Amino acid sequence: MTIIFDLDGTLLNTIDDLGHACNHALEACGFPTHPIEEYPRLVGNGVNKLIERALPEGEKTEETVLRVREFFVPYYDAHNCDFTRPYEGIPDLLMTLKSQGQHLAVASNKYQAATEKIVAHFFPGIFDIVLGERTGIPRKPDPQIVYDIEKSLSAKRSVLYLGDSLVDRDTAANAGVPFVACSWGFVPRETLVSASCPRIIDHPADLLSFL
């Protein structure tokens, strides 16, 4: 089986580092910052969308987003492992899956360089393929990232997708693969329930029951 994992909010709690990087970039450009606890509702669709959501009304232009991004990326590249940590139970789950011979993949809307760096730092040698946001490739919920993983791993057998957000749910649906939602990430469980996610797990080990 091939198991595809979202990164932020699924494998890793990255919110503090994302929030600090965004606040740094906003402040550098003269814009107001946000409390870190507000950032879970701003993330999920890549850095540019995060910055757009964080900007004040009337300032959400492409030009301004790109200007803020110029400060975000170098800061985040230098600080993206400061506070980020795996969720409890994730390392054990990955080791179990690896020992079973499962194919493991990451599908993230975080830009590719940061995705690769963070996964290599926290999960060295675990994943068969790691894909993030890439130039010219549409972001999730477009299914292309899933297709690219399937092609790379020749995953014409069964595929399972684990994520914490409705973006992940829609990505899996668009790709025609089964989806399991996790409740420990950035999207509250009640939101997942109200969105009619049919499979919701509360601990990483619960994923094993779907294999």
Side-chain angles (χ1 to χ4, degrees):
M1 172 175 280
T2 294
I3 305 166
I4 300 174
F5 293 85
D6 171 54
L7 183 61
D8 300 65
T10 300
L11 293 171
L12 297 171
N13 185 348
T14 57
I15 207 68
D16 284 11
D17 288 331
L18 287 168
H20 287 305
C22 196
N23 281 344
H24 166 81
L26 290 170
E27 188 173 24
C29 294
F31 296 116
T33 60
H34 300 271
I36 296 300
E37 56 267 24
E38 288 187 10
Y39 275 94
R41 67 179 179 82
L42 304 179
V43 300
N45 296 89
V47 171
N48 287 16
K49 182 59 70 171
L50 164 61
I51 293 169
E52 178 187 316
R53 291 168 177 161
L55 284 166
E57 293 299 326
E59 300 286 355
K60 301 177 185 289
T61 65
E62 181 179 2
E63 180 182 4
T64 302
V65 167
L66 294 177
R67 179 160 63 93
V68 175
R69 183 187 170 106
E70 290 180 0
F71 291 91
F72 179 101
V73 169
Y75 184 93
Y76 189 65
D77 284 345
H79 296 279
N80 55 26
C81 295
D82 287 1
F83 299 101
T84 291
R85 295 292 183 271
Y87 287 102
E88 182 179 358
I90 284 293
D92 290 340
L93 171 65
L94 295 178
M95 292 304 297
T96 297
L97 295 172
K98 197 71 174 176
S99 71
Q100 294 176 350
Q102 313 290 4
H103 286 175
L104 305 182
V106 170
S108 177
N109 272 342
K110 189 190 300 294
Y111 58 96
Q112 182 70 24
T115 300
E116 290 178 347
K117 176 189 172 184
I118 293 172
V119 171
H121 178 82
F122 287 104
F123 311 115
I126 294 295
F127 287 94
D128 300 289
I129 182 171
V130 175
L131 294 183
E133 179 187 43
R134 296 158 291 155
T135 302
I137 306 297
R139 293 187 300 271
K140 300 185 298 183
D142 188 280
Q144 187 60 50
I145 195 168
V146 175
Y147 298 154
D148 289 345
I149 288 169
E150 290 178 324
K151 181 179 180 180
S152 174
L153 299 179
S154 299
K156 296 309 178 185
R157 50 185 183 167
S158 55
V159 175
L160 187 65
Y161 187 122
L162 178 70
D164 73 305
S165 73
L166 302 187
V167 171
D168 294 308
R169 178 202 63 180
D170 294 345
T171 304
N174 292 338
V177 301
F179 175 67
V180 176
C182 63
S183 67
W184 57 80
F186 302 155
V187 177
R189 195 182 206 282
E190 55 268 26
T191 300
L192 299 172
V193 172
S194 65
S196 300
C197 292
R199 306 176 186 88
I200 304 174
I201 59 174
D202 299 311
H203 189 276
D206 297 339
L207 184 70
L208 297 173
S209 65
F210 293 100
L211 303 185

